[in-house]
Amino acid sequence: PRCHLEDVTRADINGFVLPFVHRLMRLSEQVPENLRVKVRLCDTMGYGISYPGAALPRSIPKLVYKMIHEGGIPSDRLEWHGHNDFHKVHINGATAWLYGCNAVNTTLLGFGERTGNSPLEGAVFEYIGIKGDTRSMCTTMITRIAEYYRDVVKAHVQEHYPFVGANFNMTRAGIHADGFSKDE
């Protein structure tokens, strides 16, 4: 089971959320390990900020820290679910992950409600960058997923969408065009 803490980046963390998750964790201890609740931190409106110095409830580092260290939620039962309302879905997901969330909810090619959710392909390359290798992931599957979306689902993939857009690495201006003309 999962408890979705909707709109947590606008919530009363100390007055409501922490007492609630304390109680939830105590109740969860009464069931077998495989049935213990996972908690999903939902940045419903994309208000989260990736800086540890920002104030709660918007600081993702502080929010994750409080859930683990004061709320008693084990890291392996803590997830992040972000939205892209302010173009921060990817950095916020990576921040939540780096500060202790075990999982970041993602979608294929960023499709999702309203402004979209964290794109899986961005998370894959972030993980590779952090870990230093692919960990046996087959990144060419990202291209196959995009082809499936275009050809079978008939979904529009923006021309300049990172990694898989038809013209994602195309440039026609300034220093980029100059460099391209010198060494394609």
Side-chain angles (χ1 to χ4, degrees), residues 49-56 58-63 95 99:
I49 297 175
S50 61
Y51 307 108
L56 276 174
R58 294 186 63 191
S59 172
I60 295 163
K62 285 180 181 174
L63 183 62
T95 298
Y99 277 85

Side-chain angles (χ1 to χ4, degrees), residues 90-162:
H90 181 70
I91 189 65
N92 286 347
T95 298
W97 185 32
L98 287 171
Y99 277 85
C101 279
N102 186 58
V104 173
N105 300 158
T106 63
T107 60
L108 298 173
L109 308 180
F111 282 83
E113 186 180 23
R114 293 183 341 273
T115 59
N117 301 107
S118 297
L120 173 64
E121 63 280 3
V124 164
F125 283 103
E126 194 76 17
Y127 183 84
I128 291 168
I130 290 167
K131 297 298 183 181
D133 66 47
T134 64
R135 303 280 170 121
S136 300
M137 287 186 281
C138 179
T139 59
T140 60
M141 287 303 296
I142 294 168
T143 302
R144 292 181 61 194
I145 290 167
E147 290 167 352
Y148 180 82
Y149 264 60
R150 275 192 288 269
D151 301 340
V152 178
V153 177
K154 303 295 185 200
H156 174 71
V157 176
Q158 296 176 16
E159 274 188 23
H160 293 94
Y161 191 83

Side-chain angles (χ1 to χ4, degrees), residues 8-9 15 24 40-42 49-50 65-66 68 83 87 101 103 109 115 120 125 131 141 144 147 160-161 164 180-181:
V8 75
T9 53
L24 188 62
R40 181 174 287 155
L41 302 174
C42 301
I49 297 175
S50 61
Y65 180 90
K66 277 198 172 273
I68 294 169
H83 287 267
H87 287 292
C101 279
L109 308 180
T115 59
L120 173 64
F125 283 103
K131 297 298 183 181
M141 287 303 296
R144 292 181 61 194
E147 290 167 352
H160 293 94
Y161 191 83
V164 297
F180 186 74
S181 70

